[in-house]
């Protein structure tokens, strides 16, 4: 009677943040901040045609949901624009978006408004929150340690203006295991509702995930502005943070959500009680 309790609690740790709500209709008429299925068909496959919209759906490119990163650890930024920020945490600066989820922010409500005055790029690039940084265009200069052998990497970006989704996916990601050899990543999934379930927050979308296009794993991700993976190249980008994912687009189960931790605690409490009742 004990094993099912423990097994159930442990299995719940894999109930992840990226709830799948994959688009299945190539002719879905909805738009997300003016971006449609046809917009993605044009940007990723060359033209808004029925065949290319079908490719968007067949390749599971779009998820009509938000990536809830709460409770999971972001990747650690170890290098920023060529500087080791682990040993130099005050180097650089970061921006802060002013509209926050679940709060009436007055004139900033539903806006892309931000300030750019924070000291220390590490503070802006290490969390999945309202803070963000801008990287340069040199591969290997801005690097995140994913913390484990990941199969995908989620890129959380910040939008400061249109057009969309171009201004959300204006970076190129490179992946590595040794910080020397870098592989160009490809975009494999886009969460259309971004980071927060509060849809009045517009600067948080679109979250996207990249991989090698194979089952190969990697430990590090380098993000540059522009480049061959970007949908637009205008000399800057706004990166909120990065997170390593498993092959199923979920975060590493070794870093469970708080709710899952609570369920695990309940299971362990039941296990302890059962042991106490066991006869000597």
């Amino acid at each position: 009677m004990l094993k099912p309790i423990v097994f159930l609690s442990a299995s719940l740790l894999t109930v992840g943040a990226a709830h799948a709500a994959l688009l299945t209709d190539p002719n879905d008429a909805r738009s997300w901040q003016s971006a449609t299925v046809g917009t993605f068909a044009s940007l990723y496959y060359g033209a808004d045609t029925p065949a290319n919209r079908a490719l968007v759906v067949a390749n599971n490119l779009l998820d009509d949901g938000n990536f809830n990163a709460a409770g999971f650890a972001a990747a650690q930024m170890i290098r920023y624009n060529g500087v080791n920020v682990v040993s130099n945490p005050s180097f650089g600066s970061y921006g802060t978006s002013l509209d926050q989820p679940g709060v009436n922010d007055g004139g900033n409500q539903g806006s892309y408004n931000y300030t750019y005055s924070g000291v220390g790029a590490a503070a802006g690039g290490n969390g999945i929150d309202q803070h963000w940084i801008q990287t340069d265009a040199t591969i290997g200069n801005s690097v995140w340690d994913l913390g484990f052998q990941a199969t995908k990497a989620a890129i959380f970006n910040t939008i400061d203006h249109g057009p969309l989704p171009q201004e959300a996916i204006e970076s190129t990601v490179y992946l590595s295991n040794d910080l020397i050899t870098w592989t160009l990543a490809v975009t494999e999934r886009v969460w259309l509702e971004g980071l927060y379930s509060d849809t009045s927050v517009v600067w948080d979308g679109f979250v996207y995930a990249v991989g090698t296009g194979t089952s190969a794993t990697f430990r590090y991700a380098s993000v540059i502005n522009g480049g061959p993976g970007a949908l637009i190249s205008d000399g800057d980008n706004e990166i909120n943070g990065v997170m390593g994912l498993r092959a199923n687009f979920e975060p590493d189960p070794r870093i469970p959500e708080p709710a899952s931790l609570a369920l695990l605690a309940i299971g362990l409490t039941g296990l302890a009680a059962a042991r106490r009742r066991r006869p000597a």
Side-chain angles (χ1 to χ4, degrees), residues 22-23 40 44-45 55-63 150-155 169 173 175 183-191 207-218 229 231 245-250:
L22 297 172
L23 261 64
F40 285 92
Y44 279 103
Y45 301 113
L55 275 178
V56 169
V57 169
N59 291 335
N60 294 326
L61 180 64
L62 303 180
D63 187 310
T151 310
K152 319 286 184 189
I155 310 301
I169 307 176
V173 184
L175 309 168
T183 299
L184 174 65
V186 296
T187 299
E188 299 183 5
R189 181 70 50 83
V190 179
W191 286 268
V207 175
Y208 64 102
V210 300
T212 63
T214 71
S215 60
T217 63
F218 44 87
L231 298 181
L245 306 178
R246 295 175 288 146
N248 62 355
F249 295 92
E250 294 288 346

Side-chain angles (χ1 to χ4, degrees), residues 10 26 41 61 66 75 81 86 97-98 107 148 152 165 190 211 225 240 274:
L61 180 64
N66 66 289
N81 290 351
V86 176
S97 296
L98 299 178
F148 69 106
K152 319 286 184 189
V190 179
N225 73 66
N240 183 323

Side-chain angles (χ1 to χ4, degrees), residues 133-145:
I133 59 171
Q134 294 179 314
T135 72
D136 64 22
T138 300
I139 301 167
N141 265 12
S142 296
V143 178
W144 281 260
D145 181 351

Side-chain angles (χ1 to χ4, degrees), residues 26-28 36-54 56:
N27 298 312
D28 195 314
T36 66
V37 176
T39 305
F40 285 92
S42 179
L43 291 170
Y44 279 103
Y45 301 113
D48 178 9
T49 65
N52 287 340
R53 291 196 299 274
V56 169

Side-chain angles (χ1 to χ4, degrees), residues 97-105 109 130 196 198 200-201 203:
S97 296
L98 299 178
D99 181 18
Q100 291 302 293
V103 177
N104 187 338
D105 293 293
Q109 185 78 3
Q130 70 270 34
Y196 298 116
D198 181 352
S200 70
V201 179
W203 56 261

Side-chain angles (χ1 to χ4, degrees), residues 146-151 176-177 216-220 245-246 254:
L146 303 175
F148 69 106
Q149 288 299 122
T151 310
S176 177
N177 276 309
T217 63
F218 44 87
R219 177 65 184 258
Y220 305 101
L245 306 178
R246 295 175 288 146
R254 292 173 298 173

